[in-house]
Amino acid sequence: MTLSTNKPRRGRPPKIARENSDTKAILIRSGLEHLTENGFASSGIDQILKKVGVPKGSFYHYFSSKEAFGKTVIEHYAHYFEKKLDKSLLDDNHLPLQRIINFVDDAKAGIIRHHFKRGCLVGNLGQEVDLLPESFRQQLIDIFYSWQQRMTNCLELAKEQGQIAKTSNCNLLAELFWIGWEGAVSRAKLVGSVEPLDNFVNYFIDNLTRV
């Protein structure tokens, strides 16, 4: 038998009990936590790897660069957030405007659970967009549009059911919701209180129902 003399390639995953798919998932989850708390520009790959005990060679087996890693983390966050949105905004057990309130209540619980250290990853990255790889810009725009479309659909249903005026521009209202929402989340982190979120959603809903 002839033994192979080929040297291990850079980036080959480590031979440990952990499955390869688990390693990738762990890296993404660690990236979500770190980037949500610290942003992208100030986050180093070494910090993320050290936290979960994954060697750098394994990281480069799954991701060609920090930019590629960031785009994957953003994608996973977007899918996670879309599921949370759909859970509330598509809930037929409640009227459309109550669904919006339920979404806010669920988000508040998450912010409290993480002790106001995490906000919205997409919103956070939007604030540092000039420091990000240019490829992130359109990705973030598309995500915001996806969220806006979901809110538009909920508001259109509210219009059909007579909860808001028939003349309401639901797409514009949905855009304004997300603009206000990101500001309220940022303020909630700053002051360590969900009061800004309550103030925002109450003002938004009150003005929707005002004839």
Side-chain angles (χ1 to χ4, degrees):
M1 180 184 296
T2 302
L3 296 178
S4 173
T5 58
N6 292 334
K7 295 181 179 180
R9 293 174 298 170
R10 178 179 182 270
R12 183 177 297 226
K15 292 182 179 180
I16 55 179
R18 182 190 297 153
E19 294 292 334
N20 292 346
S21 59
D22 290 342
T23 300
K24 185 175 182 179
I26 288 169
L27 287 169
I28 293 171
R29 183 166 63 250
S30 179
L32 277 170
E33 295 172 357
H34 196 84
L35 267 61
T36 303
E37 293 184 13
N38 303 287
F40 183 84
S42 63
S43 295
I45 295 301
D46 289 341
Q47 298 168 295
I48 295 171
L49 297 179
K50 183 178 180 180
K51 184 176 181 180
V52 294
V54 174
K56 187 172 288 188
S58 296
F59 174 86
Y60 285 109
H61 172 78
Y62 299 110
F63 307 102
S64 60
S65 63
K66 180 182 175 182
E67 178 177 348
F69 176 62
K71 288 176 68 67
T72 301
V73 169
I74 293 170
E75 180 183 357
H76 276 256
Y77 180 86
H79 289 328
Y80 154 80
F81 200 83
E82 285 167 0
K83 289 180 181 179
K84 289 180 69 69
L85 268 177
D86 289 342
K87 181 180 179 181
S88 294
L89 300 187
L90 299 179
D91 186 355
D92 291 335
N93 294 314
H94 300 282
L95 292 172
L97 296 189
Q98 183 60 46
R99 299 178 195 180
I100 297 174
I101 295 171
N102 291 346
F103 158 71
V104 173
D105 287 342
D106 182 59
K108 283 162 47 182
I111 291 173
I112 293 171
R113 186 167 61 251
H114 294 294
H115 308 290
F116 298 94
K117 291 183 178 181
R118 300 182 195 173
C120 171
L121 175 61
V122 174
N124 292 349
L125 294 179
Q127 293 180 34
E128 60 172 328
V129 67
D130 290 338
L131 303 174
L132 304 178
E134 184 58 32
S135 63
F136 285 20
R137 185 183 297 270
Q138 191 59 53
Q139 185 181 17
L140 295 173
I141 291 172
D142 291 343
I143 291 169
F144 272 127
Y145 178 78
S146 172
W147 297 354
Q148 182 175 324
Q149 190 57 54
R150 284 169 161 78
M151 186 62 65
T152 297
N153 293 341
C154 185
L155 291 170
E156 288 287 359
L157 186 59
K159 185 196 292 189
E160 291 176 12
Q161 296 184 6
Q163 284 193 288
I164 62 177
K166 295 295 183 182
T167 56
S168 298
N169 183 335
C170 294
N171 190 55
L172 176 59
L173 289 171
E175 181 179 2
L176 293 174
F177 176 88
W178 289 113
I179 292 172
W181 171 256
E182 293 300 338
V185 170
S186 179
R187 178 65 66 86
K189 285 183 61 181
L190 175 65
V191 300
S193 169
V194 295
E195 185 176 358
L197 299 175
D198 288 329
N199 291 341
F200 165 70
V201 72
N202 290 338
Y203 181 80
F204 183 80
I205 296 296
D206 286 347
N207 278 273
L208 284 179
T209 57
R210 188 173 297 166
V211 180

